[in-house]
Amino acid sequence: MPSDAPVDLYSLAFTCSVDPLLLLDASGRILALNPAAERLSSTPGATARGAPVDEALRCDPPLGALLEQALRDRAPRGLPSDFTLRLADERVVLAEGSLSPLVDPSGACAAVLLAVRDVTEQRRAEQAAREQGARLHAAAEALDVGFVIYDADERLCFFNTAYKALYPECAAAIEIGNTFEDVVREGCRRGIHLHSGLSEDEWVAARLADHRRPGEVYVRRFGDRWLTLKSTRLADGSFVGLRMDTTDLKGAELALERERQFIRLVLDTIPIIVTVKDREGKMKLVSKGYAEMYDLTVDGAVGKTVADLPSSRPELTTIHEMDREVLAGMKRVSRVQPVTRPNGEVRWMSIIKVPLVEQDGTTHILAIGTDITAQREHEAHMAATITELERQRQAIADQLAVIQSQQALIRALSTPILQVAEGVLAVPLIGALDDARAGDVTGKLLDEVVRTGARFAIIDVTGIDSVDAATADHLVRIVRAIRLLGASGVLTGIGPAVAQSLCGLEVDLSGVTTHGNLRAGIEVCLRALPARR
């Protein structure tokens, strides 16, 4: 303001100022104060004029020393940051302002202008803000998850200890003011990306893409750790992010996935069909064998009902009946039934269904099916084979009966018992004399001896080429059996070869009558008959 300006303008400015203004003399006494100062001190101007300012406003700290400095240096001095006014109405006002010497053109100090401003509410708001900031900081530090804020230029503004601890490879770059890319590249220098198989630039580009898509949740692997990342963009363009170490959770998830894959491998490998349905009949779990039966994939079968699958109505009815029976009785139900595939092929299945109850009481139906088509075909083949074998057995039995009848006829024809005269029987033997034939000859001959009352039984061996020990024994036994019935046994037809064989066998023929041929034997027997009568 020019020095020649009208005095009333200065007065007007002094009077109309919204800030409290006081004019002090060199000793600190109040020369004048504006209406704003009167309102602040709640003291009329007339009462305050002439009073020391420290007494009128009860300044803390007192203004004496600061006033002396301003007067000595002829320069304004700011009030202390803790400057307080304790006013007459017991109000305590926090104030800020200055002491400014008013120097006239001659260099003399005419007065000192005290300008004060009530900043009580401002200071309280600032203190509340500081306290709230401290609480937020303490809360962020108390979190067991990483908390971070990047500004709109992707520079780090705030992070808690947990955030830095989650990224030990990046710790050197996690400093206020560094960019997100600075932090990521520091991690790459420490090898955080090596597990991924990506180059450093590829890894950085991928992480920047994640960072710049706020609102999405990511699960990423960093070295030997798995972290879940969530970011949100604020109205000013900054980013607030949360980082959680979910390594244990991911490990459990991977373990469950391995277990699920193992169960799937078992289901797809075992040679049976498995399904699990809910009470509404929707497939919750199916084995690969079940899906393939209907030319579907496992995923294509899950969620469907039996009615959605290609099957015949009779089969559908049977399946529904089994399901109702399982749920109604909560018991095991089994059936053997045919299943028609989409290509028309019929497979026979042995099906067992049982209730499957979860811990919360939810009931499902577990079905286990075994393809017994081959067994059924084998059983049918075996039944046909047995029928055919029975037919063949009967045919063989019939043939055997014929053969036995023929054998009996042959034996009868091959070993005829002839009555050559009254009291004389003759048996011509032809071929080998085994145990069966010897027994047959003996039995028939003895019966004829008894029936006819014969006195002689001639056994002609002309038809036997050679005699072994067994044959010789049979002949001797026949003769002895005849003798036991009171008749005489006569051997005829012993040729040179047979005689030589008998001698070589040292057969005891003592008491046995022998003749060279049948005729001679008959003649001898006939001559002996009258004498014996």
Side-chain angles (χ1 to χ4, degrees), residues 414-421 423-429 441 445 448-449 452 454 456-461 482 488 490 492 518-519 521-522 525:
S414 63
T415 313
I417 300 175
L418 306 175
Q419 185 171 0
V420 296
V424 180
L425 300 176
V427 182
L429 297 178
V441 170
L445 182 55
E448 286 299 309
V449 168
T452 62
F456 295 95
I458 302 172
I459 303 170
D460 184 61
V461 295
I482 294 170
S488 297
V490 179
T492 63
L518 177 60
R519 180 178 178 177
I522 294 174
C525 291

Side-chain angles (χ1 to χ4, degrees), residues 338-354:
V339 174
T340 304
R341 299 191 62 210
N343 61 4
E345 178 188 9
V346 177
R347 310 295 297 179
W348 281 90
M349 303 297 297
S350 174
I351 300 175
I352 298 175
K353 294 191 175 186
V354 296

